[in-house]
Amino acid sequence: MGGISFALHGLAVSSGIAIGRVHLVSHALLEVSHYEIPENRVEDECARLRAAAAAIKAELAALKATTAASQASAELNAFLDLQAMMLEDPLLIEAACDRIRQQHINAEWALTQQLDTLLEQFDTIEDPYLRERRADVIQIVERLLKELLGLARPPKPRRDDLPTIVVAHDLSPADTIGFRGQHIAGFLTDVGGPTSHTAIVARSLQLPAVVGVRLARQLLEEDDLVIIDGARGVAIVNPHPSIVEEYRLRKAELEISRTRLARLKDAPTVTLDGTPIELLCNIETPSDLELVQRVNADGIGLYRTEFLFLDRLDRPSEDEQYEAYRDVLKSMKGKPVTIRTFDLGGDKDFEPNTSRVQPNPALGLRAIRYCLAEPTFFLTQLRALLRASVHGKLKILLPMVAHAHEIDQTLQLLARAKEQLQREGKKFAEDVELGAMVEIPAAALAPGIFLKRVQFLSIGTNDLIQYTLAIDRQDDAVADLYDPLHPAVLRLIAGTIQFGAKNGLPVSLCGELAGHAEYTWLFLGMGLRQFSMHPERVLGVKQRLLHADINELTPKVQRLLKLDEPARLREAFEKLNAALPAA
Ligand code: PEP
Ligand code: MG
């Protein structure tokens, strides 16, 4: 069996485990040859290009017919329609034919020249939606080139029974679903973000995928054995047989629990003793909404708006933000949608060329601090949020609050945004609630600052643990010290929940821990009634709470919270969970 074992890291965009052999998909744009065509062959060359376009059109139509019969998303069909439309646009095929005639060059060369011209035009487009279509033009040209170069062939059958892991620089939707029925188990791509086509298609086909792996296409060889761990965003290349066995087991377990959990989607979210619980989702882009619908969540508990900055250096305009927020609110049809204002700076820096080097970004000008330091920029977001509020039940959440004056300043800006909108005759809802993240220990220790200022709280355990234990959540070297069961962490969480209950201030928990089913009973026993997590975690947590009796859990958790000795605390935690059915 194969060469040296190594792991590649990228962005986790579609979870699940895949074990298979690499099929390298060529990057046609890099493989174009340039040659001249004699005058008498010019029309044949144009015909060759038109035939390639016709072949792809037929393929797209066939794909649409097959996806119509499956559960593939509407988003996917829209991609297919768009690509078919582009093939008919005279600015593509006919313009390339003109180049063949005028310059006597081969079809591939003419096509890449025409692509360059089109891309130059794209660069001047203001409209963000149209600008994004740039990627679609590149992909359709890539597809045409592959057809012309004869590279559009499916992977050849494997000598063993293993499925194929497609490894590419980037994949178009047509590429990805064109692999349907080819025994494809997953995707790895050099480029792409959470909203890349590969990511969207992979999620809708429920295939594990890792994107943004940078050198995947260069480091991997045809037929290499690869494990994709989609949830972790890792690919293990040439793994040891014992690792393969381990992953096979995990994959089988995952599949069984997925089928079992899917049945819980419509079950009422109520504990054994009859307490209703809200299960909300964390989303990063509107494309996550499909997953939210799939698990029938009670709403969005955290929309991380800073992801609007992904893959770009300029700032999203008010209209662009308004549209993104509106789309999420509309699609949730009146269920609550908590949108967090920009948590920029720190590890989510979007200005790589900034001249200001922060000595310690996690403690620096981040989140609410950053926004208040740039009031015009913050006001734009608040205006966009207010404008979107008429489309559903909006709640605004402020990240990293530690001081009362941070909320007061935000309230002043909100009032200003309302005045401006009123003057401009733009509508907004009057009853938008304002909430604060509790993710700095100071906020958890002195929650009184929130009374009379905000209407709800949300505990961000990711940062709360980082700041309480002084563990950089980004730093692998101290990852083993990142302990959610540290008594200090547990007391800050429990204290915040109790404070909320005593003062009629609803509290949710939206850090990663909310989605870890082994913590569900602990949090229920602390009094938590709202959990917000990645959509994929919702049904696992739901299963746990359906088996929970809060009357039994509460005294046990109260005793656990008094423990200081780590071993005893862990023992109590394990005992608490001992009665749980397997996930
Ligand atoms: C948190 O800190 O727990 C949180 C939810 O926010 P983020 O992970 O975006 O910092
Ligand atoms: Mg945080």
Side-chain angles (χ1 to χ4, degrees):
M1 214 176 20
I4 311 162
S5 177
F6 58 97
L8 293 170
H9 295 256
L11 284 173
V13 292
S14 185
S15 68
I17 290 167
I19 304 169
R21 290 202 181 271
V22 167
H23 171 57
L24 293 174
V25 171
S26 117
H27 186 12
L29 274 173
L30 300 179
E31 292 173 25
V32 169
S33 51
H34 298 178
Y35 53 92
E36 287 181 7
I37 301 288
E39 173 77 42
N40 62 350
R41 300 290 310 277
V42 158
E43 283 313 315
D44 290 349
E45 195 63 7
C46 289
R48 192 164 77 86
L49 179 53
R50 288 200 198 95
I56 298 169
K57 244 189 277 177
E59 191 179 66
L60 290 172
L63 287 173
K64 210 173 157 200
T66 54
T67 56
S70 76
Q71 83 287 48
S73 64
E75 204 175 3
L76 206 56
N77 277 333
F79 280 141
L80 295 179
D81 287 342
L82 186 76
Q83 299 221 327
M85 237 167 63
M86 283 193 293
L87 284 169
E88 277 165 22
D89 192 326
L91 278 175
L92 192 65
I93 305 297
E94 284 316 309
C97 282
D98 287 347
R99 284 180 191 273
I100 297 175
R101 286 191 200 101
Q102 284 156 14
Q103 302 174 41
H104 293 183
I105 54 177
N106 63 317
E108 292 88 342
W109 192 359
L111 200 56
T112 47
Q113 278 193 12
Q114 185 56 20
L115 174 67
D116 288 341
T117 307
L118 291 173
L119 293 185
E120 270 168 33
Q121 292 169 5
F122 264 96
D123 289 339
T124 62
I125 293 178
E126 294 254 320
D127 184 298
Y129 175 78
L130 288 179
R131 222 174 29 217
E132 268 184 30
R133 303 283 67 83
R134 197 177 190 278
D136 297 291
V137 177
I138 299 175
Q139 285 184 344
I140 198 75
V141 169
E142 268 249 330
R143 188 80 188 147
L144 277 163
L145 289 172
K146 280 183 198 165
E147 189 64 35
L148 288 165
L149 297 165
L151 294 171
R153 287 177 226 104
K156 54 182 187 323
R158 305 267 155 217
R159 52 187 152 70
D160 49 30
D161 217 16
L162 286 173
T164 300
I165 306 279
V166 173
V167 180
H169 180 69
D170 196 8
L171 290 169
S172 74
D175 277 335
T176 25
I177 48 180
F179 292 128
R180 199 182 270 267
Q182 307 280 358
H183 207 23
I184 304 291
F187 306 123
L188 283 181
T189 57
D190 287 340
V191 296
T195 56
S196 62
H197 293 161
T198 312
I200 293 168
V201 176
R203 283 196 291 263
S204 97
L205 297 179
Q206 298 193 20
L207 288 179
V210 183
V211 304
V213 189
R214 303 261 162 86
L215 296 174
R217 181 90 186 45
Q218 262 159 279
L219 294 172
L220 291 164
E221 286 177 24
E222 188 75 16
D223 266 351
D224 271 349
L225 183 65
V226 174
I227 298 173
I228 298 187
D229 186 337
R232 294 200 173 92
V234 176
I236 307 166
V237 187
N238 294 320
H240 185 270
S242 62
I243 305 281
V244 177
E245 207 34 53
E246 162 77 18
Y247 270 92
R248 269 193 218 291
L249 282 173
R250 278 178 53 188
K251 186 168 151 52
E253 282 166 9
L254 257 174
E255 272 152 24
I256 294 169
S257 72
R258 256 197 191 165
T259 333
R260 238 188 0 224
L261 287 179
R263 291 190 217 124
L264 297 179
K265 173 176 169 264
D266 296 317
T269 315
V270 180
T271 56
L272 277 182
D273 56 289
T275 310
I277 306 294
E278 272 178 63
L279 292 184
L280 307 157
C281 286
N282 295 357
I283 62 165
E284 291 171 357
T285 69
S287 68
D288 292 335
L289 288 167
E290 199 184 317
L291 285 174
V292 176
Q293 313 289 10
R294 215 180 269 169
V295 297
N296 194 16
D298 297 314
I300 305 292
L302 172 66
Y303 173 12
R304 291 179 162 104
T305 54
E306 53 278 5
F307 282 83
L308 287 171
F309 282 87
L310 214 75
D311 290 336
R312 62 190 288 170
L313 292 174
D314 59 335
R315 296 173 169 191
S317 67
E318 180 181 316
D319 280 349
E320 191 184 341
Q321 291 186 48
Y322 159 73
E323 282 161 22
Y325 308 151
R326 176 202 60 196
D327 291 353
V328 174
L329 280 155
K330 271 188 168 173
S331 86
M332 291 308 291
K333 298 195 174 79
K335 287 182 178 177
V337 173
T338 307
I339 303 186
R340 186 174 71 184
T341 58
F342 294 129
D343 184 356
L344 293 163
D347 58 325
K348 296 160 187 156
D349 205 355
F350 70 108
E351 287 177 316
N353 299 323
T354 178
S355 53
R356 190 176 172 277
V357 177
Q358 300 202 53
N360 188 337
L363 303 181
L365 199 60
R366 186 190 151 182
I368 189 71
R369 305 166 184 186
Y370 183 96
C371 286
L372 290 171
E374 296 240 14
T376 320
F377 167 68
F378 194 19
L379 191 67
T380 306
Q381 184 176 34
L382 296 176
R383 283 176 52 103
L385 283 165
L386 285 170
R387 282 173 57 200
S389 66
V390 293
H391 298 288
K393 185 164 170 26
L394 171 68
K395 297 162 90 173
I396 299 178
L397 179 61
L398 307 176
M400 296 272 301
V401 178
H403 302 272
H405 61 72
E406 290 164 335
I407 309 170
D408 293 339
Q409 284 176 39
T410 304
L411 285 167
Q412 282 165 16
L413 277 174
L414 259 175
R416 191 182 318 160
K418 286 182 183 174
E419 264 167 42
Q420 288 180 350
L421 292 175
Q422 237 151 16
R423 246 183 289 131
E424 294 162 24
K426 292 184 174 139
K427 290 202 195 93
F428 57 88
E430 289 290 347
D431 57 349
V432 177
E433 290 185 359
L434 185 69
M437 295 275 298
V438 176
E439 49 186 347
I440 298 183
L445 288 167
I449 60 165
F450 296 118
L451 290 179
K452 302 207 182 84
R453 287 192 168 87
V454 298
Q455 287 79 50
F456 68 98
L457 297 176
S458 190
I459 305 175
T461 47
N462 306 342
D463 278 313
L464 187 62
I465 298 172
Q466 153 166 278
Y467 295 125
T468 306
L469 301 179
I471 301 297
D472 186 338
R473 64 194 257 199
Q474 303 273 89
D475 188 350
D476 287 354
V478 287
D480 59 320
L481 298 174
Y482 190 93
D483 179 13
L485 284 182
H486 191 291
V489 172
L490 295 183
R491 281 174 209 165
L492 290 178
I493 298 173
T496 307
I497 296 169
Q498 270 164 26
F499 174 84
K502 214 165 94 194
N503 293 283
L505 203 56
V507 176
S508 80
L509 194 148
C510 65
E512 291 303 304
L513 282 187
H516 287 224
E518 65 271 30
Y519 286 87
T520 307
W521 282 21
L522 178 69
F523 293 142
L524 285 173
M526 287 183 186
L528 190 71
R529 302 293 177 257
Q530 290 176 355
F531 296 67
S532 189
M533 65 203 79
H534 188 282
E536 291 206 338
R537 302 282 183 145
V538 167
L539 297 179
V541 169
K542 188 167 186 174
Q543 186 196 42
R544 296 288 167 125
L545 69 88
L546 292 178
H547 291 93
D549 183 332
I550 292 183
N551 298 328
E552 268 179 34
L553 287 172
T554 309
K556 287 187 192 166
V557 171
Q558 295 316 314
R559 282 197 295 278
L560 180 150
L561 288 171
K562 295 205 177 81
L563 300 173
D564 275 318
E565 181 54 39
R568 288 194 56 208
L569 207 156
R570 182 156 288 280
E571 193 189 326
F573 176 69
E574 276 159 15
K575 249 187 168 156
L576 183 77
N577 281 333
L580 288 178

